[in-house]
Amino acid sequence: KLHYLSYYKTKEESNGKPMDKFSLKACEVVPDVNLHSRKYGINLKIPSADGMNEICLRCPNEESYANWMSGIKLASKNK
């Protein structure tokens, strides 16, 4: 089973059709955390026909970051 991440233009449109989606299989997951300024991010490098695409996800807090990071790591390993 493949795992996908979809994105939408606005929060209000999230019940409709996504703008696009991409597979998380074999993506590189790179943490982007600054504890001093309380910024939690995840950089994804996703393989595509054109090379690697980079997506940056920002999380509002440490708990959200931990949940997203663990889920994306599992998905990138197709688990």
Side-chain angles (χ1 to χ4, degrees):
K1 180 179 178 182
L2 293 178
H3 302 280
Y4 292 91
L5 185 62
S6 301
Y7 61 92
Y8 302 85
K9 189 172 184 176
T10 65
K11 184 177 180 179
E12 290 74 26
E13 295 176 2
S14 64
N15 291 327
K17 184 179 177 187
M19 287 182 64
D20 201 2
K21 69 178 183 177
F22 49 88
S23 172
L24 294 173
K25 183 178 181 182
C27 74
E28 294 178 31
V29 183
V30 181
D32 182 16
V33 176
N34 185 327
L35 295 175
H36 181 68
S37 59
R38 297 183 184 190
K39 292 186 179 179
Y40 304 95
I42 303 168
N43 292 328
L44 302 176
K45 294 182 181 177
I46 302 163
S48 72
D50 301 328
M52 297 294 267
N53 293 327
E54 189 168 330
I55 305 289
C56 299
L57 303 175
R58 296 286 173 228
C59 301
N61 56 49
E62 187 175 0
E63 182 180 356
S64 176
Y65 168 80
N67 289 333
W68 275 97
M69 185 62 117
S70 62
I72 291 171
K73 280 186 176 181
L74 288 172
S76 72
K77 296 175 184 174
N78 208 26
K79 295 185 178 187

